[in-house]
């Protein structure tokens, strides 16, 4: 099921990116109408029905990769070696003021985090699957009529919806969210930068986990994750 979702999303992204090329089917080539003048922030270059985007609101789809770890004072829960996982979601953003290229963005993601570690000669992997809600401030820096750079900063909150701790020596798996492992709630700071070309969008960033996800009062555990995401905005 996961592979089918990814294949369908990549197919949609490829089609949209192909149509978005300047001079292409929906571009402003020689056989099309002349390109409009460079707009101000109050008249977005994507306000044309060709792109389905308006000045003050957008929504989009995202698909990406997490490279995450779990750093803990408890050796049993420490997964300081990085582990790869999926992130998949949808976002929506709104411009905060007509005269400023500043946007407030939120959304809903399915995000796989975790890590790898060793304890008493045993190798463990920790897979922590979350539903995640970010709240970000974005600043749009226009490069040309099609392209913009979008640095962002904000926070996120996550709820654990599944996951396993795997002991490879005993070939056993345990629930990652129980009284001897991790708490379901996580939250932290998100930093990064995006690049948009017409409707196509890519971003890189890092999540700094601030919540203690360990159940033990005397020990702490925090997540951390690099992420790379591709998507489309409408």
């Amino acid at each position: 099921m996961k592979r089918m979702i990814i294949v369908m999303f990549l197919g949609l992204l490829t089609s949209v990116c192909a149509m978005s090329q300047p001079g292409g089917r929906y571009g402003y080539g020689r056989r099309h109408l002349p390109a409009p003048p460079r707009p101000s922030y109050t008249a977005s270059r994507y306000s044309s029905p060709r792109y389905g985007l308006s000045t003050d609101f957008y929504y989009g789809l995202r698909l990406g990769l997490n490279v995450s770890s779990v750093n803990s004072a408890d050796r049993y829960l420490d997964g300081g070696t990085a582990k790869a996982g999926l992130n998949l979601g949808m976002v929506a953003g709104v411009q905060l003021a007509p005269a400023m290229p500043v946007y407030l963005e939120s959304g809903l993601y399915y995000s796989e985090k975790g890590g790898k570690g060793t304890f008493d000669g045993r190798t463990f992997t920790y897979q922590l699957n979350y539903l995640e809600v970010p709240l970000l401030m974005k600043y749009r820096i226009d490069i040309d009529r099609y392209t913009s750079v979008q640095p962002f900063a904000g926070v996120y909150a996550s709820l654990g919806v599944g996951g396993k701790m795997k002991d490879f020596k005993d070939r056993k798996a345990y629930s990652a969210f129980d009284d001897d492992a991790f708490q379901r709630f996580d939250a932290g700071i998100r930093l990064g930068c995006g690049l948009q070309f017409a409707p196509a969008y890519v971003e890189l960033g890092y999540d700094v986990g601030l919540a203690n996800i360990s159940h033990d009062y005397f020990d702490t555990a925090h997540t951390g994750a690099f992420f790379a995401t591709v998507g489309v905005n409408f």
Side-chain angles (χ1 to χ4, degrees), residues 30-187:
R30 293 182 178 179
R31 298 182 182 180
H32 297 277
L33 295 175
R38 181 181 177 90
S40 67
Y41 293 124
T42 57
S44 170
R45 62 187 180 282
Y46 298 136
S47 61
S48 166
R50 296 175 184 271
Y51 295 108
L53 296 174
S54 65
T55 303
D56 59 355
F57 178 78
Y58 64 90
Y59 61 94
L61 302 175
R62 301 287 186 264
L63 175 66
L65 175 71
N66 293 331
V67 180
S68 60
S69 61
V70 179
N71 297 298
S72 177
D74 186 339
R75 290 181 56 206
Y76 176 70
L77 299 179
D78 185 59
T81 301
K83 183 179 183 299
L86 172 72
N87 71 67
L88 173 69
M90 59 187 69
V91 301
V94 62
Q95 189 172 3
L96 296 182
M100 296 179 61
V102 179
Y103 295 78
L104 181 67
E105 180 181 292
S106 188
L108 179 65
Y109 285 82
Y110 168 76
S111 183
E112 295 178 348
K113 296 183 179 181
K116 300 179 182 179
T118 58
F119 178 72
D120 286 344
R122 299 170 181 239
T123 298
F124 289 86
T125 61
Y126 309 97
Q127 182 171 342
L128 310 176
N129 303 332
Y130 293 101
L131 286 180
E132 197 164 81
V133 177
L135 186 62
L136 306 175
M137 294 288 290
K138 286 191 164 185
Y139 187 84
R140 192 186 77 211
I141 304 170
D142 290 338
I143 305 301
D144 57 32
R145 190 165 61 89
Y146 295 99
T147 311
S148 65
V149 176
Q150 301 173 12
F152 59 83
V155 296
Y156 69 90
S158 305
L159 178 66
V161 294
K164 296 290 185 181
M165 297 174 56
K166 295 182 179 180
D167 182 341
F168 283 87
K169 182 175 181 179
D170 293 341
R171 296 184 180 180
K172 292 183 179 180
Y174 311 89
S175 172
F177 298 110
D178 61 27
D179 291 339
D180 295 322
F182 301 104
Q183 299 193 58
R184 291 184 181 273
F185 177 76
D186 190 19

Side-chain angles (χ1 to χ4, degrees), residues 12-21 197 199-201 231-232:
L12 173 63
L13 179 62
T14 301
S15 300
V16 173
C17 290
M19 291 188 296
S20 70
Q21 297 298 320
F197 179 76
Y201 179 82
V232 290

